[in-house]
């Protein structure tokens, strides 16, 4: 992507003219890659930045604008692979809005223009999510589908009629009667998110590279030369407008949608009619939160004046309608350089490759790493170290490498090389192996002493879903189990700092000797004292006036650095506030309920749901250990896979040593029976969604299971009640569709107190 500096609004000098010419040429190339070859070399957000900059220059210097400027085009010229066909009525682009201030400016301008042109007529706004797919223009004559044309340049598109006819959502003949003599229906072809994932799985299983994203998948599918190939792809469509409509006597966009739906055309379920800008902004917020719950991928929201007469009054510029705009959400997909592929060892021994990237901002945060899942996925994605790659970050999910930017390889082939998965554990050197025959994932079998696995297990013990020890985070977990993890190469160690350091560092031939970790096993965790942590140090980069020097030195982690003045001790080293908090929280964690202790043990597949079910059914670790696999599998929320994993875990000798040391330290191994808690929810399945004032998420689940109920995470036909708090999401909609009884927080409390009978009181 070209770096384009901001320029002042003055007469363009030679440098600005050159920048403009280069930028226009670059945008033309991206338009061709996107619209004609379906192989973009940058992400949509980066293209948006380029076109935004180009339009800014043209606004400030209109004398530069040429007739062939890419800002004056809609889409791109049709490819030569399909016959060119003219649209009856031209297709326009939409003005892009990237901020709330831009939205407000556009909204106020449209309202003011309508007031001037139409008086004080009320304005209604139709809003709908912006589908990230491929625009299509369908032509129906007297209700018969006669042609399907891509957008192309807005005037001429590609004839893909044969391929369009294979898409089940598109009727070949409209239902009902009263069809116009001629009707252009505009819509978006897309591949539903769920089907996209399953389709990529099939490609990978067949040894083919996966598709980068649903938009490329839809575009490539529709442009298959063989319609049978298109028919194999799970494509769908939603309508988003009409073009030529001879004889269609409707007065608004939403009336048109209702009519098209009656005729059997697929209309988006996410469309609403709104009255004010505040309502529009609420819609933007809601669908940004829900964007990954929808049927398809979206990249924003389209806002339109609903009334056709008002649309005609506002009219068009040469490129965009003045009555519609697209609000773009912050990007979740960008491109960056893949610098390396390394491996991470998880707490159950799974070795996962991850991408080391040039820093890039995506979904509002800086990203330097992204997951690659396993060695087979790396191979299937076809990425090479040194590639430019597409990455995506969906919400809070770990960023993922989608695939290479193939067009960016030209001329760089000698810089790229394939990734080779290691044969031995990168943390302890043990030979890797699958846990069972046929597994794709490779694991380190040295579970007890592998430092990477131990670090991850100790960090997991402190996590919110396990024993919830706030002071036991990533850095503290590593300092306890593998303090030399970030030890730099010898040439980067600041030896002058070593000589003057008050940190107690042992040496072998002038080189720092590796530390012996405080924890060699999680069994000793609850015996720790502050004194045990006195000499633990970690490696930190030396900074001068806040700037990194590239040199590293040891730094005490759990205790403060002693202070000297002229060789005299002024303040002795002492435990930090975080260290004192850690020791205190470890002591409190001993009284956590049994289900949390089960989660903390890192038994494969055993998370909070299964742990609650086990604790409720057995009440003690001893009884769980004595239970047979078939008995465990019969518990609701456990099943045969988890049951087998539990039996495997209890068959390992060193796991028993962990349990014994924890019990000796006072960690709870059984729940105290509380006869005072009535079993009011025996046999009932309850789902909590949204935020409750009187309960945290964990507290609500504990309240349900303590009364004999099952706290489920998803709504199904077997759900008895859904408790709806503030900001309840898609689970509420599913409960409504299934006819499941929904309760508010007050009714939830009545249910806990007295069971279903309490709801009738």
């Amino acid at each position: 992507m070209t770096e384009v500096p901001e320029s002042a609004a003055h007469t363009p000098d030679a440098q600005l003219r050159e920048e403009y010419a280069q930028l226009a040429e670059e945008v033309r190339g991206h338009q061709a890659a996107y619209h004609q070859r379906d192989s973009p070399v940058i992400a949509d957000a980066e293209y948006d930045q380029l076109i935004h900059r180009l339009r800014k220059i043209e606004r400030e210097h209109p004398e530069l604008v040429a007739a062939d400027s890419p800002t004056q085009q809609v889409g791109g010229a049709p490819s030569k692979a399909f016959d060119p066909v003219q649209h009856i009525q031209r297709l326009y682009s939409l003005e892009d809005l990237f901020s709330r201030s831009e939205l407000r400016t556009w909204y106020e301008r449209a309202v003011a223009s309508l007031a001037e042109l139409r008086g004080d007529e009320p304005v209604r706004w139709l809003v709908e999510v912006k589908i990230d797919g491929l625009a299509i223009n369908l032509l129906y004559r007297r209700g018969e589908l006669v042609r399907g044309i891509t957008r192309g340049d807005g005037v001429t598109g590609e004839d893909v009629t044969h391929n369009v006819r294979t898409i089940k959502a598109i009727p070949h003949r409209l239902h009902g009667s009263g069809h116009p003599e001629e009707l252009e229906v505009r819509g978006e072809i897309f591949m539903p998110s769920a089907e996209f994932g399953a389709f990529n799985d099939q490609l990978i299983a067949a040894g083919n590279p996966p598709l980068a994203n649903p938009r490329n998948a839809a575009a490539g599918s529709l442009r298959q030369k063989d319609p049978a190939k298109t028919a194999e792809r799970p494509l769908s469509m939603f309508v988003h407008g009409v073009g030529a409509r001879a004889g269609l006597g409707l007065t608004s966009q939403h009336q048109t949608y209702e009519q098209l739906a009656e005729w059997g055309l697929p209309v988006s379920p996410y469309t609403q009619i709104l009255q004010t800008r505040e309502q529009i902004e609420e819609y933007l917020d809601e669908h940004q939160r829900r964007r990954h719950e929808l049927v398809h991928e979206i990249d924003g929201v389209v806002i339109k004046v609903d009334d056709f007469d008002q649309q005609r009054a506002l009219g068009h510029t040469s490129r965009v309608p003045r009555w519609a705009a697209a609000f773009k959400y912050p990007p979740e997909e960008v491109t960056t350089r893949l610098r390396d592929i390394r491996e991470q060892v998880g707490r159950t021994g799974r070795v996962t490759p991850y991408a080391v990237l040039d820093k890039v901002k995506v979904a509002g945060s800086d990203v330097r790493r992204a997951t690659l899942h396993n060695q087979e996925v790396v191979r299937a994605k076809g990425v090479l170290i040194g590639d430019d790659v597409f990455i995506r970050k969906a919400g809070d999910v770990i960023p993922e490498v989608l695939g290479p930017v193939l067009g960016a390889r030209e001329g760089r082939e000698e810089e790229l090389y394939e990734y080779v998965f290691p044969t031995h554990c990168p943390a302890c050197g043990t030979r890797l192996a699958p846990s069972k025959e046929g597994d794709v994932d490779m694991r380190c079998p040295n579970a007890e002493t592998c430092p990477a696995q131990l670090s991850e297990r100790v960090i997991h013990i402190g996590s919110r879903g396990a024993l919830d020890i706030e002071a036991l985070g990533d850095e503290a977990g590593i300092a306890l189990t593998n303090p030399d993890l970030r030890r730099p190469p010898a040439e980067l160690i600041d030896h002058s700092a070593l000589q003057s350091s008050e940190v107690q560092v042992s040496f072998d031939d002038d080189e720092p000797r590796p530390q012996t970790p405080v924890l060699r096993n999680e069994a000793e965790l609850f015996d720790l004292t502050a004194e045990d942590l006195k000499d633990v140090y970690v490696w930190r980069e030396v900074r001068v006036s806040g700037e990194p020097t590239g040199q590293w030195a040891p730094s005490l982690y759990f205790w403060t650095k002693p202070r000297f003045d002229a060789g005299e001790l002024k303040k002795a080293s002492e435990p930090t506030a975080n260290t004192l908090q850690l020791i205190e929280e470890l002591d409190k964690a001993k009284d956590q309920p049994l289900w949390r202790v089960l989660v903390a043990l890192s038994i494969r597949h055993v998370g909070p749901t299964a742990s609650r079910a086990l604790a409720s059914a057995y009440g003690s670790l001893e009884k769980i250990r004595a239970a047979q696999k078939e008995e465990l599998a019969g518990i609701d929320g456990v099943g045969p896979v988890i049951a087998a994993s539990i039996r495997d875990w209890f068959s390992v000798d060193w796991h028993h040593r962990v349990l014994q040391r924890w019990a000796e330290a006072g960690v709870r191994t059984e729940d105290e029976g509380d006869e005072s808690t009535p079993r009011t929810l025996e046999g009932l399945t309850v789902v909590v969604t949204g935020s409750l004032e009187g309960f945290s998420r964990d507290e609500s689940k504990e309240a349900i299971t303590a009364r004999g109920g099952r706290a489920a995470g998803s709504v199904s036909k077997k759900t008895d009640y859904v408790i709806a708090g503030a900001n309840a999401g898609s689970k509420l909609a599913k409960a409504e569709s299934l006819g499941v009884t929904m309760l508010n927080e007050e009714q939830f409390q009545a249910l806990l107190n007295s069971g279903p009978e309490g709801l009738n009181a």
Side-chain angles (χ1 to χ4, degrees), residues 571-611:
K571 187 172 183 180
S573 178
E574 60 185 14
T576 67
N578 279 347
T579 300
L580 295 176
Q581 182 187 3
L582 172 62
I583 300 302
E584 181 181 348
E585 288 184 354
L586 283 170
D587 190 56
K588 289 179 180 178
K590 298 174 186 178
D591 291 323
Q592 289 280 28
L594 176 61
W595 75 265
R596 287 186 173 274
V597 177
L598 283 167
V599 175
L601 292 173
S602 287
I603 304 172
R604 194 176 175 196
H605 305 306
V606 178
T609 300
S611 294

Side-chain angles (χ1 to χ4, degrees), residues 44-230:
D44 288 355
E46 293 167 277
Y47 172 80
D48 287 342
Q49 290 174 9
L50 291 174
I51 197 79
H52 200 57
R53 171 62 178 155
L54 194 63
R55 287 173 184 155
K56 183 176 187 296
I57 294 175
E58 291 183 344
R59 281 197 308 271
E60 295 173 352
H61 302 283
E63 67 274 21
L64 290 179
V65 182
D68 65 346
S69 167
T71 65
Q72 308 304 303
Q73 310 300 316
V74 176
S79 75
K80 297 178 181 178
F82 296 88
D83 293 335
V85 180
Q86 269 200 327
H87 302 293
I88 298 173
Q89 189 176 101
R90 178 184 171 180
L91 283 82
Y92 287 84
S93 292
L94 291 173
E95 181 175 348
D96 290 330
L97 310 173
F98 295 98
S99 68
R100 296 304 170 93
S101 63
E102 288 184 4
L103 168 64
R104 289 164 193 164
T105 299
W106 177 86
Y107 178 92
E108 289 165 3
R109 183 173 66 236
V111 169
S113 296
L114 279 172
E116 184 178 340
L117 295 166
R118 307 279 297 182
D120 57 358
E121 282 183 357
V123 184
R124 297 195 311 173
W125 302 90
L126 182 140
V127 292
E128 55 193 346
V129 294
K130 187 174 183 298
I131 304 169
D132 195 11
L134 181 74
I136 193 72
N137 189 24
L138 306 175
L139 177 61
Y140 286 89
R141 289 198 177 115
R142 295 177 294 279
E144 293 281 350
L145 176 64
V146 296
R147 189 175 297 144
I149 314 170
T150 64
R151 175 196 295 271
D153 61 6
V155 176
T156 303
E158 306 151 345
D159 189 340
V160 290
T161 307
H162 294 303
N163 292 347
V164 163
R165 289 182 181 277
T166 70
I167 300 173
K168 295 177 182 177
I170 299 176
H172 294 188
R173 177 166 182 78
L174 300 180
H175 303 169
S177 59
H179 312 128
E181 184 71 19
E182 202 162 57
L183 174 67
E184 283 185 309
V185 176
R186 274 76 188 268
E188 202 82 6
I189 303 286
F190 63 89
M191 188 175 288
S193 300
E195 281 81 352
F196 173 72
F199 187 71
N200 259 350
D201 289 343
Q202 293 174 14
L203 290 177
I204 292 171
N208 298 314
L211 301 170
N213 53 53
R215 190 271 165 195
N216 284 8
S221 299
L222 199 63
R223 289 191 170 110
Q224 294 288 324
K225 295 296 288 183
D226 181 359
K229 294 287 187 183
T230 303

Side-chain angles (χ1 to χ4, degrees), residues 655-667:
H655 290 162
H656 292 279
R657 294 195 292 275
V658 171
L659 293 179
Q660 182 178 347
R661 287 289 295 274
W662 282 17
E664 290 171 353
V667 176

